[in-house]
Amino acid sequence: MDERSGSYELAELYEHLGGLYPNTSEKHFKTALIHASAEGKPGANYEQLEFLGDAVLSIIVAEFLFQNFPLKKEGELTKMRSFIVSRPQLNSVADEIQLYPFIQHKIDKKYIDQARDLGGDVIEALIGAYYLDCGIDTAKSFVFRWILTEKRLNQISQKSIDPKSKLHEWAQRRKKKLEFRQLNPNLQNPKKFEIEVWINDTQYGSGKGHNKKTAEKNAAIAALHLLDPHA
């Protein structure tokens, strides 16, 4: 337990969030937990913070994807960002944090299961609160701890149909040196190519094909299998 915990009403929540405490005030964090059914006045519930948090989350995720997936086209990056910031994903983050007991609402118990996006809304509101009170770096810490997780990044990678791009992305995220080395032409069969994959000067599989592109694809598949047999 953080030594500051005794000074904050929401100390249990901040511990749930990984010890991310406010810098100055709990005001925004308290508001981030209030649904409109509990307080309908503008600015007294989480709706405005949700609006801000949505924008902050979008730029943090966009910057991360831009830096870590340099081979992706704009359309692909947009789809990836949409997946990460989607309500189902943010709702699952709220489940992981066990956020719901902290949310103030007056939604009838019979209808609470229908308020599926309640948790995701509050996640965005909390990002807005961290941005206002602590700045972008703490907002990023929250996003990297709970949203840009290895699990979600793996889900994105699994959607990729291009093994070579998938391998490049794997190496880029881990700052590994990746090379596709073409072996000397086969004099007996000059139309057949063979490519080896090298990561940090260690060979990770090879592939053959009747053209260079196919050989690189097969080599990437072999390397991915060595790195993760279940990939």
Side-chain angles (χ1 to χ4, degrees), residues 151-188:
K151 172 185 173 182
R152 286 184 182 83
L153 295 178
N154 285 338
Q155 287 177 323
I156 291 174
S157 295
Q158 288 166 8
K159 293 177 180 291
S160 174
I161 59 174
D162 180 356
K164 186 178 176 183
S165 293
K166 187 174 179 179
L167 187 59
H168 269 290
E169 290 160 4
W170 181 94
Q172 181 78 14
R173 289 205 302 270
R174 293 163 177 81
K175 302 188 184 308
K176 303 283 188 180
K177 178 184 176 184
L178 172 65
E179 295 179 276
F180 286 83
R181 297 181 183 177
Q182 182 177 337
L183 300 186
N184 292 329
N186 186 334
L187 298 179
Q188 295 179 338

Side-chain angles (χ1 to χ4, degrees), residues 88-190:
Q89 290 300 317
L90 296 185
N91 292 342
S92 69
V93 171
D95 289 334
E96 292 167 15
I97 295 174
Q98 299 179 330
L99 186 60
Y100 293 93
F102 297 97
I103 302 174
Q104 298 178 41
H105 64 82
K106 292 182 180 178
I107 303 172
D108 192 287
K109 291 182 180 179
K110 293 187 296 184
Y111 303 107
I112 190 63
D113 289 341
Q114 298 175 24
R116 298 172 185 168
D117 294 338
L118 181 62
D121 292 348
V122 173
I123 290 295
E124 287 187 334
L126 285 170
I127 293 171
Y130 277 116
Y131 176 76
L132 288 175
D133 184 81
C134 307
I136 190 66
D137 288 340
T138 303
K140 282 184 178 181
S141 295
F142 178 91
V143 171
F144 277 92
R145 183 180 184 90
W146 293 108
I147 299 173
L148 286 172
T149 61
E150 191 71 21
K151 172 185 173 182
R152 286 184 182 83
L153 295 178
N154 285 338
Q155 287 177 323
I156 291 174
S157 295
Q158 288 166 8
K159 293 177 180 291
S160 174
I161 59 174
D162 180 356
K164 186 178 176 183
S165 293
K166 187 174 179 179
L167 187 59
H168 269 290
E169 290 160 4
W170 181 94
Q172 181 78 14
R173 289 205 302 270
R174 293 163 177 81
K175 302 188 184 308
K176 303 283 188 180
K177 178 184 176 184
L178 172 65
E179 295 179 276
F180 286 83
R181 297 181 183 177
Q182 182 177 337
L183 300 186
N184 292 329
N186 186 334
L187 298 179
Q188 295 179 338
N189 189 355

Side-chain angles (χ1 to χ4, degrees), residues 181-226:
R181 297 181 183 177
Q182 182 177 337
L183 300 186
N184 292 329
N186 186 334
L187 298 179
Q188 295 179 338
N189 189 355
K191 292 184 178 181
K192 195 162 190 176
F193 291 79
E194 184 170 3
I195 302 288
E196 291 181 345
V197 172
W198 289 74
I199 300 174
N200 281 6
D201 296 321
T202 299
Q203 185 185 348
Y204 280 81
S206 63
K208 297 179 180 179
H210 292 291
N211 56 57
K212 185 178 180 182
K213 183 176 180 180
T214 301
E216 287 179 339
K217 176 181 176 181
N218 291 334
I221 291 172
L224 287 167
H225 184 73
L226 284 174

